[in-house]
Amino acid sequence: MAMNCNAKDEVDGGPPCAPGGAAKTRRPDNTAFKQQRLPAWQPILTAGTVLPTFFIVGLIFIPIGIGIFVTSNNIREIEGNVFMYYGLSNFYQNHRRYVKSRDDSQLNGDSSALLNPSKECEPYRRNEDLPIAPCGAIANSMFNDTLELFLVSNESDPTPTPIPLKRKGIAWWTDKHVKFRNPSGGGTLEERFKGTTKPVNWLKPVYMLDSDEENNGFINEDFIVWMRTAALPTFRKLYRLIERSNDLHPTLPAGQYYLNITYNYPVHSFDGRKRMILSTISWMGGKNPFLGIAYITVGSISFLLGVVLLVINHKYRNSRNTADT
Amino acid sequence: VERIVKANDREYNEKFQYADNRIHTSKYNIITFLPINLFEQFQRVANAYFLFLLILQLIPEISSLTWFTTIVPLVLVITMTAGKDATDDYFRHKSDNQVNNRQSEVLIDGKLQNEKWMNVKVGDIIKLENNQFVAADLLLLSSSEPHGLCYIETAELDGETNLKVRHALSVTSELGADISRLAKFDGTVVCEAPNNKLDKFTGVLSWKDSKHSLNNQKIILRGCVLRNTGWCFGMVIFAGPDTKLMQNSGKTKFKRTSIDRLMNTLVLWIFGFLVCLGIILAIGNSIWENQVGGQFRTSLFRNEEKKNFVFSGFLTFWSYIIVLNTVVPISLYVSMEVIRLGHSYFINWDRKMYYSGKAAPAEARTTTLNEELGQIEYVFSDKTGTLTQNIMTFKKCSINGRIYAGEEYGDPVQKKEITKKKEPVDFSEKSQAERSLQFFDHSLMESIKSGDPKVHEFFRVLALCHTVMSEEDSSGKLIYQVQSPDEGALVTAARNCGFIFKSRTPDSITIEELGTLVTYQLLAFLDFNNIRKRMSVIVRNPEGQIKLYSKGADTILFERLHPSSKDLLSLTSDHLSDFAGEGLRTLAIAYKDLDDKYFKEWHKMLEVASAAAHERDDQISQLYEEIERDLMLLGATAVEDKLQEGVIDTIASLSLANIKIWVLTGDKQETAINIGYACNMLTEDMNDVFVVAGNTVGEVREELRKAKESLPGQNHSILNAHAACGKEQQLEMASVGEEDTAPGDYALVINGHSLAHALESDVKSDLLELACLCKTVICCRVTPLQKAQVVELVKKHRNAVTLAIGDGANDVSMIKSAHIGVGISGQEGLQAVLASDYSFAQFRYLQRLLLVHGRWSYFRMCKFLRYFLYKNFAFTLVHFWYGFFCGFSAQTVYDQWFITLFNIVYTSLPVLAMGIFDQDVSDQNSMDCPQLYEPGQLNLLFNKHKFFICMAHGIYTSLALFFIPYGAFYSAAGEDGQHVADYQSFAVTMATSLVFVVSAQIALDTSYWTVINHVFIWGSIATYFCILFTTHSSDIFGMFPNQFPFVGNVWHSLTQKCVWLVILLTTVASVMPVVAFRFLKVDLYPTLTDQIRQRQKAQKKAKPVRRQRPQTRRSSSRRSGYAFAHQEGYGELITSGKNMRAKTPPPTSGLEKPLYNSTSWLENLCKKTTDTLSSFSQEKTVKL
């Protein structure tokens, strides 16, 4: 009956509503991506997945922790290679201005940087109009005490036997071979460092750090170790290696030892402390009780959480019989 | 300011320095691009802030990060934006060029010459040909059509595709195409200054010592296309940027989402937090400097005078501001934009919002508002064309006190009819008669055949009194062009009953009356407008009688009837209320015989009035008023306005989602209420429906108070319980269920008059309070402005997120003022769509837009923000803890490169993938369970509380990240005896732990792992290691030794077992509590989402194929009784009578005042086009 008024449609029916072709092109594609139907994994936290995870974490972490803890405590025995460290405290090697105060180009043997060190090195950039090599506050404050270790064999023979301390092999390979390089050029090391002056606090210039050519200048390992700044104000740095001579005897047999320190490095001015540490190394590094305890703690918490959650979940489920799934 | 333009006199016009016709929509050229674009970009607060940081970093005393940490992201962002701006501008240049180089024929030196558009000047006379674009705003001088008529299409201006008529002054139309006379034309136009009113123009043409008033009917605007007109000449009045088209392309109001606003607050808070941290660290630095640092420095740095430790603290403060700025990285803003863009594309791509009927996909026209779609609390809907189809069918009529009805249950017929409609209908008399017999009441056909004069007169009115244009297409078929579908329905009805409107000229109308052609002389056309609510024509029939035919709103027309119509009036008004009760739109029809002399007098007065300089409109309307008196009632028409598909379901589902739907319509109260019932917004079992229809402030206030008092129980308790408009609500099912049923259902119906009063300040709050307590609010007879006011009212006082949906120009103001405007690409033109933020073709898509896209967008955006803030707190606060161990020196924990890349490379893509693709529940479940929408309304997923949780989470992670490596490395040595606690190893360990922790966290957060998520998450970790190895490689160190000091570190650190043990421990310790906490939450207090997710998973396992279609709401809600709090109300909706109602006569939506409600002002604009036909009198020159 009704008379439908579509007059306008009839008029406009032509171009805009052209059926077929036009409609097809405007209809969005039916792809999983565009229709947000991409197949997907939809994990949810259920008792079935969460509780076992907690138990497993607990069961894995506690043994690891115990393992670490035991290993770490066993490190006392002086067997195998022994490492000798010096430690400093209250020394802010991580202070921003201190950390910046170096020129890696210069340390990498760049000749232009050698004679014209980076501005970051101020105020240890130049001394008496000569560029300082190595420049900067880090290098300038290098630890320069000498430590020597002697074994007093027995009471009757008081002549101390010096323990051989290895100076090489204490720096990272990449530091020694990539990051630090002496200036190139012919001649002796001294000639290559010509035109530079020693850091203000140093007793000797950089090319006289060691008699061994392979351990002198910028690639002196004591220097490299120092230049690897510590993250925390209390730190230790590897000083020497004591290699095991043979398998039968401990490296450092029980006995009385005598430490000779040539005191060059003042720490009183900033209220610092010096230490000397001897340690062996296990499969996971040096003595480190924290990590073991932390693992045991986290593992136990995880296990406990697992138990608590299990109980809660159980009770809750019982109280609601209508449970889902 | 007036504009004076003299035709054909460039020199004269140059004095005024009017803009020429070249347009620049482009913003830049090659030289200005960089400076202007950069300037614009740095006006954004975020960019300016990062620039400020960059400058800070350039001060060596402060610089704690190297310059590239800030500049790389900043440059990246700026370049990307600049690139986008440049491409946009390139296309603008291209289109500008294309437009500026269009050819037009300009009369220069007495000859027609081809000129580029950009060289056209004000005052030039140009010639347009058929189907040409108009180059500038022209004063129409003459055209190929008689009487200086020309037809234009204004699609580019207002989206209307129907033709409009423009009419030259008769003095100028005489010029015709006579080039020499046109070249001599030297009229001067004095008119208004350029403005953006498309439907207004006032000016005066002075030519040959006489003045002619000009109105919008004489003006052809730039952007129009000339149609059905051989040629026309016009004089350029406004050119280029002064044209109305360009004046209208103003900036649209910039909308921001509530998340945006929250983020702005949070960023300020974060900044405050940073300042606090900075101050703490600065104080720490001062103390440290005083006690330790001073000595330390003097021993390490020679020649260093003892610095003022307060000053040192001051510098440290700024250094830490730089270091800690990464909490709000620039990538946050960019990522938010990218995510929203992605969501917008998903909307555009959604096939389920594609309407094949119109080949119209949904369109996100604004790409910055998506998550707001998930927070809507109020929907303001227009009715006509939005809830209803705006397809009018002539259903019934009452003629001379007798009802003639179409078939009551005419569905099949109707369908047939509609399908037939599509094919061209042969309107030869015979077939026409048959058709009408088939469709209409036999008694009516008999009345027509028997020649009942009243019936004839009735259909004559329908065939004569309208603004329809007819046209014959190539095959000779009659095609009607209508501006209002109601009119179309009426004219078509008349046609089907044998009164065929054939054609019209400006002063005549030809109709075919039962087979005989009759031409009526059109004497006057008393146009429709909002106030008059009626329209009349005065015609002289071939017998020489002058008649006034009128149709209009019953209330208006009944007031001006002749006393003799009294009996008929009461009968007809009974019929009318019957019609309205059925949800039909009604119009009263009347006529009047006019005395020749009286009419002449009246006409003279009209001429004078229309030439009047002042208050022209008032005078004219007074004259109209005067002649439209003592009308003789003929009867009334009833037109059905059909509901759109799926409206009932959509409304039911949205109200289950706790979205309040307010209908704002221009309809009269009864029809509005009726449509309310049809849509199930009003139901029989509602406790009460308050109708507010007072005429004074006092009355309205009284009615509101009364309504409020009649609400059961304490007002306060209801207020609280229903906090509907704001407060947090426990999502817990049971409580919601109670709440919903407790206060009972109420509805409020308020009409325009009362609303005007109610919107006055002191009544406002009463209205709002009451309205918020009601389940349904219907405002009828509201003007477009009032629609906007209502929206503003709710927006302002309820602090709620509002959405306005409409399809017509009368909805534009409401669409613009609501938080989100949705346009229905319907039949009323494109105005609403152009103003809207989202558009689609059917009201029912609103459900999917809000419940699926909106919900997902909100969910994703909140998840994104929570994770992003967490991640950056965890990342950045490590520096704070480290401060206590490095003398508060603003030393960073990580490598500079890591800081630079962390946000833009290592962690950006996984969180983006989550922000774009994540889904908690499937779209089907979102639709099936509208309650899932609630968290968005209550702001539960991201708010200040959640922000603090993120912050606490981030702080916890940063503590674990810092103190576990700290403890482990405090005195540790590596496997080779070398120390691992050096700064670089420490940095690498911590950075690697951080990457693992945040990756684990995103893995935990991602609930929808698509391939993309996998690729991004694993890829990010892989990328981290690749870049780590690259920056630590000796090759790159060899090239830039100063920029890559970490050489070799990665090999050394990552080969240490204890480093890995630390990383593992850190990761587990950071993630474990979160897992426990989340598990407890899901286990003990599962949200609806959690439950649905579990069910979804179970279903998937059980029967992956049985993706529910049949499992629609009812069954799924029954299965999960405990889970769905709203289930009861829900099922009731479906099973109760409300639903039944929907099934019975397909929602007869009642609407009545067809003309003014639906289209109002724009309609007016259109109507005015036909106005010209009759208003020849107006352009009679007035000798002054």
Side-chain angles (χ1 to χ4, degrees), chain A residues 1-8 10-12 23 26-30 33-47 50-51 54 57 61 64 68 83 85 90-92 94-100 103-105 108 123-124 126-127 137 140-141 169-172 174-175 178-179 200-201 225 228-234 236-238 269-271 281 283-288 290-291 294-295 298 301-302 305 309 312-313 316 322 324, chain B residues 61-63 161 288 295-297 299-302 304 319 346 348-351 354 356 359 361 391-395 407 413 417-418 421 439-440 479-481 488-489 493 496 827 853 856 860 882 885-887 889-891 917 919 964 966-968 970-971 973-979 981-986 1007-1010 1034 1037 1041-1042 1045 1047-1049 1052 1057-1058 1061 1064-1065 1068 1072 1076 1078-1080 1083-1084 1086 1093-1094 1096-1097 1100 1122:
Chain A
M1 40 116 191
M3 293 133 246
N4 214 330
C5 172
N6 260 358
K8 198 171 152 188
E10 285 166 29
V11 172
D12 297 342
R26 295 198 68 188
R27 181 189 286 273
D29 300 334
N30 189 12
F33 176 75
K34 289 190 174 180
Q35 302 306 318
Q36 306 195 63
R37 280 189 277 105
L38 284 178
W41 174 51
Q42 299 180 54
I44 39 177
L45 298 177
T46 59
V50 172
L51 298 181
F54 276 99
V57 168
F61 272 39
I64 294 182
I68 297 172
F83 298 82
Y85 302 90
N90 208 20
F91 191 108
Y92 285 83
N94 57 5
H95 192 279
R96 178 165 56 92
R97 293 191 49 217
Y98 184 85
V99 171
K100 282 200 304 192
D103 184 349
D104 281 316
S105 292
N108 195 33
Y124 298 105
R126 289 177 168 273
N127 191 18
N140 187 56
S141 59
I170 58 172
W172 294 9
T174 43
D175 281 356
V178 179
K179 198 172 177 183
V200 183
N201 286 7
V225 166
R228 183 155 282 280
T229 52
L232 300 166
T234 299
R236 52 169 82 172
K237 284 178 187 286
L238 188 55
S269 57
F270 55 89
D271 206 16
I281 288 298
W283 58 272
M284 41 73 55
K287 187 171 157 75
N288 193 357
F290 173 85
L291 202 54
Y295 261 89
V298 171
I301 291 176
S302 173
L305 266 179
L309 294 182
I312 291 176
N313 183 50
Y316 173 66
T322 40
D324 42 330
Chain B
E61 290 291 309
I62 290 173
S63 170
T161 48
W288 184 84
Q295 306 157 0
F296 181 68
R297 255 187 317 108
S299 70
L300 288 186
F301 300 100
R302 63 168 176 173
E304 193 126 296
S319 301
F346 282 134
N348 295 346
W349 284 336
D350 195 337
R351 280 165 76 91
Y354 171 82
S356 48
I391 291 180
M392 301 297 159
T393 46
F394 188 80
K395 275 265 189 177
E407 285 160 64
V413 187
E417 203 264 341
I418 287 167
K421 269 270 111 139
F439 297 128
F440 228 79
I479 289 166
Y480 289 157
Q481 271 219 343
N496 291 356
Q827 303 188 340
H853 289 282
W856 273 347
R860 290 163 178 171
Y882 193 50
F885 299 91
C886 66
S889 61
Q891 173 62 30
F917 301 110
Q919 298 181 11
I964 290 176
Y966 170 78
Y970 186 70
S971 60
E975 285 159 58
D976 50 0
Q978 284 150 347
H979 52 174
D982 69 279
Y983 168 72
Q984 294 191 342
S985 304
F986 195 64
S1007 43
Y1008 193 77
W1009 286 71
T1010 63
S1034 43
F1037 172 77
N1042 281 325
V1047 57
N1049 217 296
H1052 195 264
K1057 284 184 209 77
C1058 71
L1061 285 173
L1064 177 66
L1065 184 69
V1068 170
M1072 191 176 67
R1078 290 202 184 163
F1079 172 71
L1080 270 185
D1083 211 36
L1084 295 181
R1093 292 194 66 196
Q1094 270 168 18
Q1096 205 168 274
K1097 185 155 189 170
K1100 223 180 191 176
Y1122 72 94

Side-chain angles (χ1 to χ4, degrees), chain A residues 49-305:
Chain A
T49 52
V50 172
L51 298 181
T53 315
F54 276 99
F55 287 121
I56 290 168
V57 168
L59 291 178
I60 293 175
F61 272 39
I62 294 171
I64 294 182
I66 293 170
I68 297 172
F69 192 68
V70 171
T71 324
S72 175
N73 277 357
N74 285 346
I75 282 173
R76 259 165 225 290
E77 288 179 80
I78 309 292
E79 283 170 350
N81 289 344
V82 173
F83 298 82
M84 183 178 187
Y85 302 90
Y86 60 90
L88 291 172
S89 52
N90 208 20
F91 191 108
Y92 285 83
Q93 253 204 327
N94 57 5
H95 192 279
R96 178 165 56 92
R97 293 191 49 217
Y98 184 85
V99 171
K100 282 200 304 192
S101 188
R102 63 192 286 161
D103 184 349
D104 281 316
S105 292
Q106 193 194 43
L107 298 174
N108 195 33
D110 188 280
S111 50
S112 63
L114 181 71
L115 298 175
N116 188 17
S118 151
K119 280 196 195 96
E120 306 281 2
C121 287
E122 293 289 4
Y124 298 105
R125 188 164 165 246
R126 289 177 168 273
N127 191 18
E128 292 160 1
D129 267 359
L130 282 177
I132 294 175
C135 74
I138 308 179
N140 187 56
S141 59
M142 181 179 161
F143 181 78
N144 56 0
D145 281 3
T146 317
L147 309 178
E148 287 161 304
L149 195 61
F150 298 93
L151 173 65
V152 185
S153 314
N154 49 43
E155 301 281 325
S156 53
D157 179 14
T159 10
T161 333
I163 307 284
L165 300 176
K166 219 179 136 224
R167 293 193 303 272
K168 279 164 67 177
I170 58 172
W172 294 9
W173 187 90
T174 43
D175 281 356
K176 174 127 183 166
H177 296 94
V178 179
K179 198 172 177 183
F180 290 83
R181 265 191 233 148
N182 279 323
S184 52
T188 61
L189 204 55
E190 189 177 349
E191 280 164 6
R192 287 192 253 161
F193 276 103
K194 208 175 154 191
T196 65
T197 182
K198 71 175 175 65
V200 183
N201 286 7
W202 285 20
L203 303 173
K204 305 176 270 192
V206 68
Y207 45 84
M208 285 169 68
L209 287 175
D210 199 304
S211 51
D212 183 353
E213 184 74 5
E214 284 300 301
N215 194 26
N216 200 4
F218 287 155
I219 57 170
N220 175 274
E221 296 199 12
D222 284 338
F223 175 65
I224 293 175
V225 166
W226 179 258
M227 292 304 285
R228 183 155 282 280
T229 52
L232 300 166
T234 299
F235 59 88
R236 52 169 82 172
K237 284 178 187 286
L238 188 55
Y239 185 64
R240 293 289 180 263
L241 291 175
I242 306 169
E243 273 179 319
R244 193 174 193 177
S245 43
N246 65 56
D247 287 351
L248 297 174
H249 299 287
T251 324
L252 291 179
Q256 208 177 357
Y257 288 87
Y258 170 74
L259 181 66
N260 186 23
I261 302 170
T262 316
Y263 195 100
N264 295 322
Y265 199 71
V267 288
H268 290 301
S269 57
F270 55 89
D271 206 16
R273 291 277 163 88
K274 292 193 230 181
R275 283 169 298 150
M276 194 281 292
I277 303 108
L278 288 173
S279 174
T280 58
I281 288 298
S282 68
W283 58 272
M284 41 73 55
K287 187 171 157 75
N288 193 357
F290 173 85
L291 202 54
I293 295 169
Y295 261 89
I296 295 171
T297 316
V298 171
S300 316
I301 291 176
S302 173
F303 199 84
L304 265 177
L305 266 179

